[in-house]
Amino acid sequence: MKQAIERGKPPQAAGEAAYRPSLAIRLRRDKWLYLLLLPGLLYFALFKYVPMWGILLAFKNYQPFTGFWKSEWVGLEHFRLFFANPEFFLLLQNTLILSFLNLVFFFPAPIVLALLLNEVRRALFKRVVQTMIYIPHFISMVIVASLTYVFLTTEGGPVNELLLQHTGEKIAFLSDPDWFRPIILLQTIWKECGWGTIIFLAALSAVDVEQYEAATIDGANRWKQIWHITLPAIRSTIVILLILRMGSVLDNGFEQIYLMLNPLNRSAAEVFDTYVYAMGITQGAFSYSTAVGLFKSVVGIILVLGTNWLAKKFGESGLY
């Protein structure tokens, strides 16, 4: 038994309590596994946890020449200034509208596409389609914005040229605030919809084929099979991704919005991400912009925890 304990193994004698090896024994026994774990732990410690000290800037009046620790502590002053700013409600409105459109139109799009691909029986055709819809994910957002400009510009853009031929008028898609949100939504769907199907296709591959065979024998058509077998099988995956998605409700993606932003559509395009950039980088208000970013993070955490709580109330497993 002593040798078994030293090796970190439970005793085999009948009636003896289960033995749990100590931390020292487990470290000595599985030292190579823990060594493989070390790079990941160092990455998260150095690049995820240590930088979190930077949130203290939100409570200081940071001056580069004074330094981080010697800058004046102002408490919640930057938060009060932010909430009292007349632009706060404009930023909140624009951010929430874009997030709502993404939740309603973009979030279900990969699910629908995955269900359609799952019904394809020709393997070669399915692989070709998957490859084609994955490609936009690897295209830089700068390229996507440039393509959007080329197609929608009033100066020779093919879309406006067709409109001119058929209606005699052109539409200023790129400068009209009413068209900004549809353009952003279409860009997002085109670029990321195919990539988002990977997780759902993986979940669909785990569905027991015998369930479909039994449903077919019972007379269920394809739509009923999808509703009663396929969707319930991937429901937990959908819920988990929805919970994670709620954490980015106030995060619309800086690069895409910034590339499509211009003075004419600013009333619909200015969001928290571009505001943080404008205040922090262009105007040097580091503490103020940190406070805005911290506000976004806190709201994201609250939404994730709240959505996870609701999911567990409705019988789902949730994140934890």
Side-chain angles (χ1 to χ4, degrees):
M1 178 177 174
K2 181 178 179 181
Q3 293 177 350
I5 292 176
E6 290 177 352
R7 292 195 301 269
K9 299 180 179 179
Q12 301 298 321
E16 292 190 56
Y19 171 73
R20 180 178 175 81
S22 65
L23 178 61
I25 293 177
R26 295 200 303 270
L27 287 174
R28 185 168 63 251
R29 181 189 62 192
D30 302 322
K31 56 181 178 297
W32 299 116
L33 293 177
Y34 287 108
L35 186 62
L36 291 173
L37 181 65
L38 187 60
L41 292 177
L42 289 176
Y43 168 79
F44 279 97
L46 293 177
F47 298 102
K48 300 297 182 180
Y49 289 99
V50 173
M52 289 179 66
W53 284 103
I55 65 175
L56 291 177
L57 282 178
F59 306 96
K60 289 173 169 284
N61 185 20
Y62 176 70
Q63 301 294 332
F65 296 103
T66 305
F68 179 83
W69 297 109
K70 294 184 179 180
S71 296
E72 179 187 4
W73 182 273
V74 296
L76 300 177
E77 180 64 24
H78 297 300
F79 294 94
R80 285 193 289 266
L81 291 174
F82 176 55
F83 296 138
N85 192 325
E87 290 189 331
F88 172 75
F89 290 103
L90 174 65
L91 297 171
L92 184 63
Q93 172 184 308
N94 292 340
T95 302
L96 290 179
I97 290 176
L98 282 174
S99 296
F100 176 77
L101 292 174
N102 281 326
L103 283 174
V104 173
F105 295 101
F106 170 66
F107 182 78
I111 303 174
V112 175
L113 186 57
L115 292 175
L116 293 175
L117 287 173
N118 190 56
E119 296 299 316
V120 176
R121 293 295 173 258
R122 294 183 178 274
L124 178 60
F125 177 75
K126 184 176 180 180
R127 287 196 295 268
V128 171
V129 172
Q130 285 180 275
T131 302
M132 294 181 66
I133 63 178
Y134 292 165
I135 289 175
H137 172 77
F138 300 98
I139 300 177
S140 169
M141 186 53 69
V142 177
I143 304 300
V144 175
S146 300
L147 291 173
T148 304
Y149 177 82
V150 170
F151 276 98
L152 299 181
T153 180
T154 55
E155 303 298 328
V159 175
N160 270 305
E161 290 299 320
L162 288 174
L163 288 174
L164 183 62
Q165 292 178 10
H166 290 85
T167 65
E169 297 180 355
K170 292 184 178 182
I171 299 177
F173 293 102
L174 301 175
S175 58
D176 189 346
D178 294 334
W179 281 99
F180 175 79
R181 296 182 184 115
I183 291 173
I184 293 296
L185 181 62
L186 290 174
Q187 284 181 342
T188 304
I189 292 175
W190 178 77
K191 189 175 187 298
E192 302 296 342
C193 182
W195 187 255
T197 61
I198 294 177
I199 296 177
F200 296 108
L201 286 173
L204 288 171
S205 65
V207 180
D208 189 0
V209 180
E210 294 182 356
Q211 296 185 38
Y212 293 109
E213 296 174 352
T216 302
I217 294 174
D218 292 337
N221 57 29
R222 296 305 302 176
W223 288 109
K224 290 184 177 180
Q225 291 177 29
I226 291 174
W227 183 258
H228 294 287
I229 298 176
T230 308
L231 286 177
I234 64 173
R235 183 176 59 190
S236 59
T237 303
I238 295 174
V239 171
I240 289 176
L241 291 178
L242 178 61
I243 294 172
L244 296 175
R245 181 70 184 177
M246 294 302 295
S248 59
V249 163
L250 298 185
D251 186 5
N252 300 121
F254 165 75
E255 186 180 12
Q256 181 184 15
I257 305 297
Y258 183 74
L259 290 170
M260 300 303 299
L261 175 67
N262 59 63
L264 297 176
N265 63 14
R266 183 179 179 276
S267 60
E270 191 75 75
V271 294
F272 286 121
D273 295 314
T274 56
Y275 184 71
V276 167
Y277 170 80
M279 298 302 297
I281 303 300
T282 63
Q283 298 188 26
F286 300 110
S287 295
Y288 181 80
S289 59
T290 303
V292 179
L294 181 58
F295 164 74
K296 287 175 46 186
S297 301
V298 171
V299 172
I301 292 174
I302 293 173
L303 289 175
V304 167
L305 296 178
T307 309
N308 186 77
W309 179 81
L310 284 175
K312 297 180 74 173
K313 280 291 183 181
F314 283 97
E316 298 296 331
S317 59
L319 291 176
Y320 57 89

